[in-house]
Amino acid sequence: MEAWRAPESLLAPLIVGCSAHRMDLEWIADAFDTACRCLPDVEAHLTQGNFKGKRSAAVLTALMVTSPGGDAACLRRVRWALCAEGEDLAQSGRRWWWEVALMALPHGAVQPAIPADRVPALCEVTRFSLYEGKVRGAQQLALLRHLWTGTLRSRDPELIVLGGQDRWDPGWWPTATAAFSSSSRH
């Protein structure tokens, strides 16, 4: 199956086509930044060392990452990562659960699905980790995708969205706490 035809897939890319009259790539990137800032941090614990390791307070949070290699097509890159108190990006960035890149697409690259007069962009899961066969931090990933497309729709009601999951079900959130507490060992 082609990835853009997987409407409920959390890992399938999202391709959007925005009205060129209502927004540009900068506005699309700002909407992504806003969605990232709206993701609630989740309290967790970080166990360091083997079996009887030291347990310290930590938080699962969205970390903005600069694009390696100066890739002009990559507008933003964000990681959902486990951060101990006082750590910086370099220290906590290695404990990522997923990473998403927001990419600019050339005009006309997705025709005929997205007309050439619209601004196309791609939101793609570039890394993810599994725990017991499930995507770690899946609720936050689903919420990020939903918040981003919702923010874009607030400016462009005729937004074209192709690809994976972009809706939100409030019933998904109660399971987040159990997933974090059972899988925070690194």
Side-chain angles (χ1 to χ4, degrees), residues 38-159:
C38 289
L39 284 178
D41 290 344
V42 177
E43 290 183 26
H45 294 283
L46 177 62
T47 304
Q48 297 170 334
N50 292 335
F51 302 99
K52 293 184 180 182
K54 180 183 170 191
R55 207 175 145 143
S56 58
V59 66
L60 284 156
T61 190
L63 299 172
M64 291 305 280
V65 180
T66 56
S67 178
D71 182 359
C74 185
L75 302 172
R76 300 287 192 274
R77 192 174 300 272
V78 67
R79 286 186 185 150
W80 185 251
L82 184 63
C83 302
E85 211 170 289
E87 280 187 325
D88 63 15
L89 177 63
Q91 294 168 309
S92 57
R94 67 181 184 274
R95 289 192 302 273
W96 55 266
W97 285 15
W98 50 256
E99 180 180 89
V100 173
L102 176 62
M103 310 288 286
L105 296 174
H107 285 280
V110 200
Q111 281 186 305
I114 296 179
D117 65 339
R118 298 186 77 74
V119 179
L122 168 73
C123 180
E124 182 174 27
V125 177
T126 53
R127 299 179 185 192
F128 65 94
S129 63
L130 300 174
Y131 180 77
E132 295 183 351
K134 297 179 181 161
V135 175
R136 298 172 87 186
Q139 292 89 349
Q140 286 74 20
L141 179 55
L143 185 57
L144 172 66
R145 294 163 63 104
H146 172 72
L147 290 171
W148 180 59
T149 57
T151 303
L152 294 175
R153 279 190 184 102
S154 72
R155 183 88 178 247
D156 181 4
E158 296 161 6
L159 178 74

